[in-house]
Amino acid sequence: MAGVPGRSGRRAKPTAKKELAGNPGKRALNKDEPDFGLVENIDAPEWIVAEARDMWERVVPLLCSQKILQMTDLHIVELFCSAYGNWRVAQADVVRNGPVVLGAQGGPTKNPAATVVKESASQMATFGAMLGLDPSSRQRLMGGSKKKTDNPFGALLGS
């Protein structure tokens, strides 16, 4: 919310991500940040099926290996995978029936699946960004570039 102290501007990067990036801003790190339990391995819930389960099995091991996923983030992963499953089903319907279908009155109308495609894609973008699953948010998670260990002018000076 604009103008509200502590809620304006960019979301804060978690302390663990700042440490992984080498704390490029050199600001004091929050040592009292809550730890909700790192997830190292977890199976998909039973209600996640088909394409949503496939996405879970692709994404969760990657998030776990990068030490990004905590217990309090699981609902975001579930929402992301569910939106992906909905998007796949709706997109298949649009491909099969086209973007325009016959309405109740017999005239042409927009395929309702096209709306589901749009909404699911928006949800995937939102929840995926929260997890660092797109290039822009992944860059924010990784932080700045690593420092070079060698001096490019050292060879010129013979050292």
Side-chain angles (χ1 to χ4, degrees), residues 2-3 5 8-9 22 25 27 36 48 64 78 96 119 125 133 146:
S8 299
R27 293 183 182 92
F36 295 110
I48 292 183
C64 289
E78 290 177 10
R96 186 172 47 256
E119 291 174 358
L133 299 178
K146 295 187 168 77

Side-chain angles (χ1 to χ4, degrees), residues 42-143:
I42 190 165
D43 293 328
E46 291 181 18
W47 65 268
I48 292 183
V49 295
E51 287 88 356
R53 181 171 289 274
D54 293 341
M55 180 55 72
W56 178 284
E57 292 171 358
R58 280 188 275 163
V59 168
V60 169
L62 297 173
L63 294 173
C64 289
S65 70
Q66 292 298 311
K67 298 183 168 94
I68 292 174
L69 193 59
Q70 292 202 359
M71 291 301 292
T72 53
D73 301 330
L74 291 179
H75 69 285
I76 297 172
V77 178
E78 290 177 10
L79 289 167
F80 174 78
C81 293
S82 179
Y84 176 78
N86 292 340
W87 176 76
R88 290 288 303 262
V89 170
Q91 184 62 38
D93 184 86
V94 171
V95 168
R96 186 172 47 256
N97 298 315
V100 179
V101 295
L102 291 179
Q105 304 292 327
T109 186
K110 179 181 175 183
N111 186 340
T115 302
V116 175
V117 167
K118 181 180 177 188
E119 291 174 358
S120 296
S122 176
Q123 290 171 347
M124 284 190 305
T126 299
F127 299 126
M130 289 179 182
L131 296 166
L133 299 178
D134 63 82
S136 176
S137 62
R138 190 167 39 252
Q139 178 61 33
R140 286 193 306 270
L141 286 177
M142 291 179 182

